[in-house]
């Protein structure tokens, strides 16, 4: 349940039109709005069902009718401040929104079903959003504004989402007799008061630092320790507040903070569970969005006292987003907290743990904070979602190599019945999985199956999809190898063959495979992997490695020129190249990428490409190499691709699957991506994609909007050729390709 005092998205004025009601319901996605008077009194509830009934009963549709005319005046409401349990019990599938009003009927808040969450600045904090990471500077600036600015800059570089400070009005917070010179104070109090009196920043300095945070792209947050500080922060325009553990049982200040309606992130250290529940009850009744941080307020906290398991209990009775604020040494405990459900992480931040002040000793240094953020991001990625288990791309690749499948023990004639003696279980796992054996036994054989070859899922189907002649508005072909190009060419009316080379293919004598002229065009896909686990990388830091890559690509150019002898229809064959530029630990900064592109230009200049055209392939953010997944830096960004092609007068192979994955990861528009790179496209790999690394999927199995993409390509790259690069599409006599081509005719076929 959510009690929300931000009611603007859910209200219309009674005199507003029905059209305004429809617009508001469409935007708030709750299915209803509340009609209020000019003085804010709730006068009626309007649901989408009310609108449908009005449309059905009316003799004419007038969208200028007033909202109150179609509203349900006899609506259910509850008093603001009603026990949260009573409010939650009243919500149901039929009651999706409950107005919460004062004694005079003024709308104060609304209650609705849903997961708790709120927005601070431009960041949404909820159970489904990325972890909100707070760098707690607090008083670690030691009263020095210059040091505070430096800490902000370092926190931004380390990946923090938010930088937090503290504000105290010393005269309001401590009595006139209390101070560091008061001999009656305990030693700890004397020490703390002495630090605060020397390190406390003026509000004007803090406001300037908040502005500095926003200029650097992080959200400022502050803990007000007293009411005057809260008022000052509210006047400044602070978007949310942090409640210190020391004030979580201070209901007076807590109510004052909640009364401002801003989100509160509350630390729960030094409180018993009964005290936490009491404060949670206060916050729930207030309607203020809040989060609860599990904290142990010991500096430093022994690991035995951290008790991360309490996060689950806090979530259970708190009914709010939970997080973790840590005072232990090191950074791995917050990462574990994320694995247990923490959606906010706060850690103290410093440049020197030996500086004066208790917080410095439990603070992370910038490089440690960066390591923590990277581990948090990796952990939340690894957590995934609760859904049906799917085989990942990497697993699929290994399953093909390592797993087993059902093979024919000997030749099987079409029409014969499959018996136990006709099958064996063998590697590799490129066919029907062994667990499907009971489904296969007893079925008629629907094609001639050669002994020692695998069965496929299509062998379980009554109708098999096969080759035919296709009609496309641009040249098209299929990916082939030496051993199957003749079979694939003779199966359909293709215009070209794309030879996918392995480094072993390059050692073959071409005359073994080619004796007659091949009467279609061709292009070549250069290998990524060469002998000795050498993955082609024309921008490698290691000069010797780069020189080896240049040599290998030169060999591909030489082979392509020889291959051209058997393909005279091709004037200047294309060579598709994955140019390199991958890294294992993360993406390279934009400045570094520009240097990589310059290095690529140098490498390409060292290659004799006469008679051929080298075209870089657009790349996914997380490519699969034979050593596993890595990060790719070149030919991922459409604007960088555009700049490179313009500067070097080069064209590209536009791999739709790769680029869709890049768009999914970086939040780009695939249509805009196409707009930018289409005019530089010489050749297309058309295939679907899902998520951030699910490449090579069958058409329709991924995220691709083929209709929108086809429109752009028809306009800006009408002559670019294509192949359907379905992963393992060649298996089962090309069944994956035939299925894809059937689907693609809808968007890329010749207009009728």
């Amino acid at each position: 349940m959510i009690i929300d005092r931000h009611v603007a998205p859910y209200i219309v004025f009674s005199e507003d039109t029905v059209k305004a009601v429809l617009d508001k319901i469409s935007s708030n996605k709750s299915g209803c709005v509340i009609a209020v008077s000019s003085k804010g009194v709730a006068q009626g509830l309007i649901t989408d069902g009310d609108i449908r009934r009005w449309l059905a009963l009316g003799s004419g549709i007038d969208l200028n009718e007033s909202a109150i005319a179609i509203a349900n005046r006899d609506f259910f409401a509850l008093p603001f401040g009603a026990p949260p349990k009573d409010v939650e019990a009243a919500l149901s599938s039929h009651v999706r929104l409950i107005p919460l009003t004062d004694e005079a009927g003024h709308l104060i808040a609304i209650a609705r079903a849903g997961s708790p969450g709120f927005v601070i600045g431009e960041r949404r904090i909820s159970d489904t959003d990325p972890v909100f990471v707070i760098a707690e500077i607090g008083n670690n600036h030691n009263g020095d504004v210059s040091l505070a600015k430096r800490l902000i800059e370092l926190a931004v570089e380390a990946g923090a989402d938010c930088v937090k400070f503290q504000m105290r009005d010393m005269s309001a917070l401590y009595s006139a007799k209390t101070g560091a010179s008061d001999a009656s104070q305990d030693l700890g109090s004397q020490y703390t008061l002495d630090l605060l009196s020397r390190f406390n920043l003026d509000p004007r300095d803090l406001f300037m630092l908040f502005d500095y945070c926003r200029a650097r792209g992080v959200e400022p947050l502050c803990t007000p320790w007293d009411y005057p500080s809260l008022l000052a922060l509210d006047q400044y325009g602070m978007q949310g507040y942090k409640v210190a553990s020391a004030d979580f049982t201070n209901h007076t200040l807590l109510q004052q903070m909640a009364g401002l309606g801003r989100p509160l992130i509350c630390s729960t250290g030094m409180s018993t569970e009964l005290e936490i529940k009491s404060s949670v009850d206060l916050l729930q009744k207030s309607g203020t969005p809040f989060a609860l941080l599990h904290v142990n307020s010991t500096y430093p906290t022994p690991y035995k006292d951290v008790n991360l398991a309490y996060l689950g209990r806090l979530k259970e009775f708190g009914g709010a987003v939970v997080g973790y604020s840590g005072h232990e040494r090191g950074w791995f405990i917050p990462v574990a907290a994320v694995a247990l459900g923490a959606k906010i992480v706060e850690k103290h931040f410093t440049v020197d743990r030996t500086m004066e002040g208790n917080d410095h000793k439990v603070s992370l240094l910038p490089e440690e904070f960066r390591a923590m953020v990277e581990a948090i991001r990796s952990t939340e990625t690894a957590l995934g979602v609760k859904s049906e288990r799917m085989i990942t791309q990497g697993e699929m690749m290994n399953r093909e190599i390592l797993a087993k499948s059902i093979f024919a023990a000997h030749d099987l004639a079409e029409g014969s019945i499959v018996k136990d003696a006709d099958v064996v279980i063998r590697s590799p796992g490129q066919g029907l999985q062994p667990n499907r054996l009971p489904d296969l036994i007893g079925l008629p054989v629907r094609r001639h199956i050669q002994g020692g070859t695998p069965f496929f899922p299509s062998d379980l189907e009554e109708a098999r999809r096969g080759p035919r002649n296709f009609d496309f508005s641009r040249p098209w072909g299929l990916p082939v190898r030496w051993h199957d190009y003749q079979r694939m060419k003779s199966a359909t009316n293709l215009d070209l063959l794309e030879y996918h080379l392995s480094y072993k293919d390059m050692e073959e004598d071409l005359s073994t495979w080619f004796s007659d002229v091949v009467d279609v065009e061709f292009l070549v896909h250069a290998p990524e992997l060469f002998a000795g686990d050498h993955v082609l990388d024309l921008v490698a830091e290691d000069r010797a490695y780069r020189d080896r890559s240049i040599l290998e690509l030169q060999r591909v150019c030489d082979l392509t020129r020889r291959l051209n002898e058997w393909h005279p229809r091709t004037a200047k064959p294309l060579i598709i190249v994955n140019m390199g530029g991958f890294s294992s630990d993360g993406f390279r900064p934009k400045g570094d990428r520009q240097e990589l592109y310059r290095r690529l230009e140098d490498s390409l200049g060292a290659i004799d490409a006469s008679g051929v055209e080298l075209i870089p392939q657009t790349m996914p953010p997380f490519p699969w190499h034979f050593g596993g997944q890595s990060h790719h830096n070149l030919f991922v960004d459409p604007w960088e691709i555009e700049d490179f092609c313009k500067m070097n007068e080069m064209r590209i192979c536009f791999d739709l699957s790769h680029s869709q994955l890049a768009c999914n990861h970086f939040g780009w528009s695939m249509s805009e991506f196409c707009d930018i790179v289409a005019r530089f496209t010489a050749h297309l790999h058309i295939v679907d994609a899902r998520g951030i690394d699910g490449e090579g999927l069958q058409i329709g199995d991924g995220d691709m909007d083929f209709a929108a993409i086809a429109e752009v390509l028809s306009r800006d790259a009408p002559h670019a050729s294509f192949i359907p690069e379905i992963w393992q599409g060649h298996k089962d006599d090309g069944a994956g390709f035939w299925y894809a081509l059937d689907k693609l005719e809808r968007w890329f076929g010749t207009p009728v």
Side-chain angles (χ1 to χ4, degrees):
M1 178 189 67
I2 301 169
I3 296 178
D4 195 345
R5 294 186 65 173
H6 180 51
V7 297
Y10 304 95
I11 64 170
V12 294
F13 290 107
S14 295
E15 62 269 21
D16 283 344
T17 65
V18 172
K19 184 180 184 305
V21 172
L22 291 169
D23 291 341
K24 188 61 70 78
I25 287 178
S26 176
S27 63
N28 71 28
K29 296 181 174 58
S30 71
C32 54
V33 294
I34 302 164
V36 299
S37 71
S38 59
K39 294 184 178 180
V41 174
Q43 295 184 319
L45 190 69
I46 309 169
T47 68
D48 43 18
D50 292 323
I51 295 172
R52 286 194 297 271
R53 282 187 290 274
W54 170 71
L55 291 173
L57 295 173
S59 57
I61 298 173
D62 183 5
L63 294 182
N64 292 315
E65 180 77 80
S66 67
I68 196 63
I70 67 170
N72 174 14
R73 306 291 293 269
D74 185 24
F75 61 93
F76 178 74
L78 285 171
F80 179 72
K85 290 183 179 179
D86 294 346
V87 179
E88 187 167 16
L91 289 167
S92 68
S93 59
H94 301 294
V95 181
R96 293 170 288 179
L97 185 147
I98 300 175
L100 303 177
T101 62
D102 64 12
E103 293 179 354
H106 296 99
L107 183 67
I108 305 299
I110 59 100
R112 55 190 170 86
S115 300
F118 50 84
V119 175
I120 294 182
E122 297 183 356
R123 274 298 311 272
R124 178 164 180 80
I125 301 168
S126 74
D127 289 339
T128 58
D129 286 285
V131 175
F132 188 65
V133 182
I134 303 171
E136 162 72 280
I137 291 176
N139 289 318
N140 279 358
H141 48 68
N142 285 23
D144 184 342
V145 171
S146 296
L147 176 57
K149 285 186 174 181
R150 184 184 173 206
L151 285 165
I152 292 169
E153 292 168 356
L154 291 170
V156 171
E157 293 174 6
D161 298 305
C162 171
V163 172
K164 192 181 84 67
F165 293 89
Q166 300 176 12
M167 179 182 278
R168 293 174 174 85
D169 183 316
M170 297 298 288
S171 62
L173 191 57
Y174 297 99
S175 67
K177 295 182 179 180
T178 303
S181 59
D182 183 357
S184 66
Q185 292 294 318
D186 291 338
L187 294 177
S189 297
Q190 275 194 335
Y191 172 72
T192 300
L193 289 169
D194 177 48
L195 292 179
L196 293 177
S197 63
R198 290 187 290 117
F199 294 162
N200 204 39
L201 283 175
D202 182 272
R204 288 171 298 181
D205 289 331
L206 280 172
F207 297 159
M208 181 270 294
L209 291 171
F210 299 158
D211 291 341
Y212 193 73
C213 286
R214 291 199 169 102
R216 294 304 307 270
V218 290
E219 189 63 30
L221 201 63
C222 192
T223 299
W225 282 76
D226 48 77
Y227 187 58
S229 295
L230 175 62
L231 290 179
L233 291 171
D234 181 55
Q235 187 174 8
Y236 166 78
M238 187 62 62
Q239 298 297 299
Y241 301 101
K242 173 71 195 304
V243 180
S245 289
D247 276 318
F248 195 54
T249 57
N250 181 357
H251 286 193
T252 300
L253 182 59
L254 201 58
Q255 285 177 322
Q256 291 166 339
M257 296 173 78
L260 297 175
R262 299 289 190 184
L264 304 180
I265 297 177
C266 307
S267 286
T268 60
M270 302 185 292
S271 295
T272 67
E273 185 166 297
L274 285 177
E275 291 168 338
I276 295 172
K277 288 181 176 180
S278 175
S279 294
V280 165
D281 184 61
L282 182 155
L283 291 170
Q284 288 178 334
K285 288 178 180 178
S286 76
T288 291
F290 67 95
L292 301 173
L293 303 189
H294 174 50
V295 187
N296 183 289
S297 300
T298 312
Y299 295 72
T301 304
Y303 295 139
K304 69 179 183 62
D305 294 336
V306 169
N307 191 23
L308 287 181
Y310 193 69
L311 275 166
R313 183 165 176 80
L314 190 64
K315 178 74 175 177
E316 182 180 333
F317 72 74
V321 174
V322 296
Y324 178 71
S325 179
H327 302 118
E328 70 290 327
R329 291 189 173 96
W331 55 261
F332 64 89
I333 296 296
V335 179
V338 169
L340 291 173
K343 301 302 292 188
I344 302 171
V345 163
E346 178 184 60
K347 280 289 282 185
H348 288 269
F349 190 73
T350 188
V351 291
D352 184 353
R353 277 195 284 266
T354 66
M355 292 178 71
E356 184 181 10
N358 198 41
D359 287 352
H360 288 287
K361 296 174 178 58
V362 296
S363 297
L364 296 181
L365 299 173
E367 59 271 20
E368 295 170 330
F369 199 94
R370 179 193 294 276
M372 180 189 73
V373 172
E374 290 175 351
I376 285 172
R377 299 305 176 213
S378 297
T379 299
E380 61 186 345
T381 298
L383 283 172
V385 294
K386 292 180 180 178
S387 62
E388 180 183 352
R389 192 187 193 285
M390 305 290 288
I391 300 175
T392 65
Q393 187 74 13
E395 284 185 310
M396 187 65 75
M397 294 169 70
N398 280 332
R399 175 160 143 163
E400 292 275 340
I401 299 168
L402 302 174
K404 297 177 176 64
S405 53
I406 305 170
F407 281 73
H410 46 78
D411 288 357
L412 293 174
E414 184 175 352
S416 61
I417 301 300
V418 181
K419 300 182 289 296
D420 288 333
D422 297 328
V423 300
V424 291
I425 307 300
R426 295 283 187 271
S427 285
Q430 297 177 350
L432 193 63
Q433 292 292 297
N435 65 310
R436 304 300 303 276
L437 186 59
D439 302 327
L440 181 65
I441 299 300
L443 287 182
V445 177
R446 297 185 173 91
R447 61 186 174 96
H448 173 76
I449 301 178
Q450 185 178 350
T453 62
F455 288 87
F456 294 98
S458 61
D459 289 313
L460 301 178
E461 301 169 1
E462 290 188 11
R464 288 176 49 81
R465 198 177 296 265
R468 63 174 174 84
N469 284 351
F470 296 92
D471 185 16
F472 290 102
S473 60
R474 62 181 68 241
W476 69 277
L478 292 171
V480 295
R481 301 283 300 281
W482 300 148
H483 67 87
D484 65 358
Y485 82 89
Q486 290 179 321
R487 175 171 55 85
M488 302 303 282
K489 175 183 171 297
S490 62
T492 184
N493 61 326
L494 52 75
D495 301 301
L496 57 91
L497 297 168
E498 182 179 312
Y499 293 104
H500 281 221
L501 302 182
S502 70
Y503 71 87
K504 295 295 289 182
D505 290 339
M506 295 181 62
E507 299 171 2
E508 295 280 341
D509 180 356
L510 293 182
S511 63
T512 303
W513 300 101
F514 298 94
S515 55
D516 298 322
V517 167
V518 183
D519 61 349
V520 295
E521 297 198 48
F522 86 104
L523 65 159
V524 164
H525 195 309
E528 290 184 15
L529 180 70
F530 292 87
D533 288 345
H534 182 92
V535 179
L536 190 77
D537 189 358
L538 295 170
V539 300
E541 295 281 351
D542 186 296
R543 182 70 221 196
Y545 194 100
R546 195 180 346 149
D547 286 344
R548 164 84 187 276
S549 293
I550 292 171
L551 176 64
E552 297 294 3
L553 187 53
Q554 183 64 68
R555 291 178 57 223
V556 176
C557 292
D558 296 341
L559 181 145
T560 303
R561 281 189 284 265
R562 294 198 305 274
L563 196 59
N564 207 175
E565 299 173 15
W566 287 279
H567 301 77
R569 289 182 55 179
T570 306
K572 191 174 186 179
L574 303 175
I575 301 177
I576 302 164
V577 185
N578 294 344
M579 297 289 183
F582 49 88
S583 48
S584 58
D585 298 329
F587 297 109
R588 301 283 290 271
K590 187 174 181 64
D592 290 358
R593 298 202 299 270
Q594 295 308 312
E595 172 57 30
L596 295 182
Y597 279 113
R598 285 191 289 271
R599 197 179 295 163
L600 174 59
E601 291 167 358
D602 291 341
S603 295
L604 292 174
I607 295 171
D608 174 14
S610 58
V612 300
E613 180 181 356
L614 298 172
I615 57 170
Q617 181 172 214
T618 63
M619 296 302 293
F622 303 103
W624 292 97
H625 295 298
F626 286 88
Q629 195 183 63
S630 59
H631 300 73
H632 222 289
N633 301 290
L634 301 186
F635 300 101
V636 177
D637 184 309
W639 298 277
E640 292 178 4
I641 294 169
E642 179 183 34
D643 290 344
F644 182 86
C645 289
K646 284 181 177 179
M647 186 174 298
N648 295 279
E649 296 183 347
M650 290 186 72
R651 300 189 296 170
I652 60 166
C653 171
F654 185 7
D655 188 303
L656 299 186
S657 178
H658 290 173
S659 297
Q660 180 70 64
L661 298 177
C663 290
N664 291 350
H665 178 68
F666 293 108
W668 300 329
S669 161
M670 184 61 174
S671 292
E672 184 180 0
F673 196 113
C674 293
D675 280 332
I676 295 168
V677 307
R679 63 186 181 276
F680 304 106
T681 298
H683 183 61
L684 294 155
H685 286 169
I686 300 182
V687 60
D688 218 331
R690 181 176 56 241
I692 60 173
D693 62 4
E695 62 179 271
L697 302 186
Q698 183 55 265
I699 307 301
D701 288 351
D703 305 323
M704 202 83 69
D705 183 348
F706 285 102
I709 292 170
E711 182 178 349
V712 177
L713 294 176
S714 296
R715 182 187 68 230
D716 296 337
H719 305 299
S721 55
F722 84 91
I723 64 160
E725 200 183 31
I726 310 302
W727 190 65
Q728 298 291 19
H730 63 279
K731 294 192 307 183
D732 194 9
D733 294 326
F737 295 145
W738 314 134
Y739 180 89
L741 291 166
D742 276 345
K743 300 271 284 190
L744 290 173
E745 268 188 327
R746 173 183 175 187
W747 301 291
F748 296 93
T750 302
V752 177

